[in-house]
Amino acid sequence: MKKILTYGTFDLTHIGHINLLRRAKALGDYLIVGLSTDEFNQIKGKSSIFPYEHRKIILESIRFVDQVIAERCWEQKINDINELNVDIFVIGDDWRGKFDFLKEFCEVIYLPRTEDISTTQIKEAITLI
Ligand code: C2G
């Protein structure tokens, strides 16, 4: 079984997230998502509208997603890859190069982001209503 791992905040789930998850799952058989906790979001400099528990339930309801784990820090990826026997680490190409150090432990793939959609854009659009 080929296991895929990705990470993110996945707030206000939108087509960009779904496109990422769909393409990630297509690379293997089992997709694990490391979901940023509310506390880690603060470290990332992000705040999410939906709390972690809601974002987790939403992700677990997406048919491409097989397992959701908590992403609590930057440093957990290598341990997660080894502990979960991950074959491929996948993330959007806005991170291109940032996770090349994981190539020692698994394949690393950066997927093109979906254009013209982001959680920030959604938030801005809502404030204009
Ligand atoms: N994404 C995308 N297209 C968009 C928006 C997001 O492909 N229009 C991808 C991102 O590249 C990422 C995933 O969807 O792979 C989740 O995006 P975010 O929730 O913004 O995650 P991010 O803040 O990039 O967190 O340790 C890694 C971080 O937790 C990644």
Side-chain angles (χ1 to χ4, degrees):
M1 175 167 71
K2 185 172 282 190
K3 297 177 84 173
I4 317 294
L5 175 62
T6 191
Y7 294 85
T9 297
F10 293 97
D11 189 30
L12 302 182
T13 313
H14 55 69
I15 190 68
H17 297 142
I18 299 301
N19 284 342
L20 188 286
L21 296 169
R22 176 177 42 74
R23 288 175 294 163
K25 179 60 178 285
L27 293 168
D29 309 291
Y30 189 88
L31 175 60
I32 304 163
V33 179
L35 181 62
S36 308
T37 60
D38 298 331
E39 297 74 15
F40 183 51
N41 271 338
Q42 286 182 348
I43 295 170
K44 286 167 62 173
K46 294 183 97 166
S47 66
S48 58
I49 300 289
F50 295 154
Y52 175 80
E53 280 311 317
H54 288 196
R55 291 183 284 119
K56 184 171 189 286
I57 291 167
I58 290 167
L59 274 185
E60 287 172 339
S61 307
I62 296 170
R63 62 186 170 92
F64 305 121
V65 177
D66 297 289
Q67 181 182 358
V68 178
I69 62 173
E71 181 187 31
R72 303 183 190 284
C73 64
W74 292 114
E75 297 78 15
Q76 71 183 74
K77 293 183 175 67
I78 294 173
N79 189 59
D80 288 347
I81 287 164
N82 291 330
E83 293 282 308
L84 296 165
N85 300 310
V86 167
D87 299 287
I88 307 175
F89 168 87
V90 175
I91 201 159
D93 63 3
D94 45 319
W95 292 93
R96 184 173 297 282
K98 298 289 192 310
F99 299 111
D100 287 356
F101 68 93
L102 297 175
K103 287 179 177 176
E104 185 183 340
F105 306 97
C106 67
E107 190 178 347
V108 173
I109 295 178
Y110 300 99
L111 294 173
R113 272 176 73 92
T114 300
E115 298 298 321
D116 303 325
I117 184 74
S118 69
T119 303
T120 304
Q121 280 178 282
I122 294 169
K123 288 179 184 175
E124 287 166 358
I126 290 170
T127 56
L128 296 175
I129 294 172

